[in-house]
């Protein structure tokens, strides 16, 4: 592989991973904040955070594809194909980290541990998610399926 192609592949993987991180972070923080404020248990908190991470991750992918002229059904299919692996890895690593930090799940919204455990979890998740995105994009899969719709 030429250095320029390698650099473009790496750049595309960083872009896809940053995109994934944005949707996951929005969903995760909103989910954790809602569950914590409502006083829901840890399991409900984690499930809600993951569901909302997928929702926002897909939503961020659907909008540009809809603007490119696809129907909602087609755009949803593209988003699912483009983002599922990335979001799953991001969420597994981030939530895994939060689970191993003593007291992180029981920390309140005003507690720094609540916030830094999520941030560090995402920072750790960036590496494996980037590697998966790079591998998928190099094979024309994952986020690469969206590139034809970006103008």
């Amino acid at each position: 592989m030429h250095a320029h192609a390698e650099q473009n592949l790496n750049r595309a993987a960083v872009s896809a991973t940053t995109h994934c991180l944005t949707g996951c972070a929005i969903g995760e923080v909103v989910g954790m904040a809602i569950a914590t404020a409502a006083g829901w248990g840890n399991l409900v908190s984690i499930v809600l955070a993951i569901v909302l991470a997928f929702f926002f991750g897909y939503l961020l992918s659907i909008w540009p594809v809809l603007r490119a002229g696809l129907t909602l059904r087609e755009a949803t299919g593209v988003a699912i194909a483009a983002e599922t692996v990335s979001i799953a890895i991001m969420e597994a690593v981030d939530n895994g980290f939060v689970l191993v930090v003593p007291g992180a799940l029981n920390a309140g919204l005003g507690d720094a541990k609540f916030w830094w455990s999520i941030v560090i979890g995402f920072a750790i998740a960036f590496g494996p998610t980037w590697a998966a995105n790079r591998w998928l994009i190099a094979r024309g899969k994952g986020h690469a399926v969206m590139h034809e719709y970006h103008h």
Side-chain angles (χ1 to χ4, degrees), residues 24 26-36 40-56 87 91-92 94-96 98-99 105:
C24 287
I26 293 168
E28 183 108 3
V29 170
V30 169
M32 293 278 197
I34 290 169
T36 301
W40 294 338
N42 291 342
L43 180 60
V44 174
S45 175
I46 292 168
V47 170
L48 180 61
I50 291 170
V51 167
L52 290 177
F54 274 92
F55 174 78
F56 283 104
I87 295 169
E91 285 302 297
D94 178 62
N95 281 286
V98 171
L99 284 170
L105 284 177

Side-chain angles (χ1 to χ4, degrees), residues 64-136:
V65 178
L66 285 173
R67 285 194 303 267
L70 272 68
T71 66
L72 179 59
R73 183 182 181 101
E74 293 167 332
T76 300
V78 169
I80 289 170
E83 302 297 342
T84 299
V85 170
S86 184
I87 295 169
I89 293 169
M90 184 74 68
E91 285 302 297
V93 174
D94 178 62
N95 281 286
F97 178 77
V98 171
L99 284 170
V100 301
V101 172
L105 284 177
N106 297 322
L109 295 174
D111 189 335
K113 186 181 284 188
F114 174 88
W115 298 103
W116 69 252
S117 64
I118 292 172
V119 169
I120 292 174
F122 279 128
I124 294 167
F126 196 91
T129 306
W130 173 86
N133 279 325
R134 187 181 188 285
W135 188 86
L136 289 166

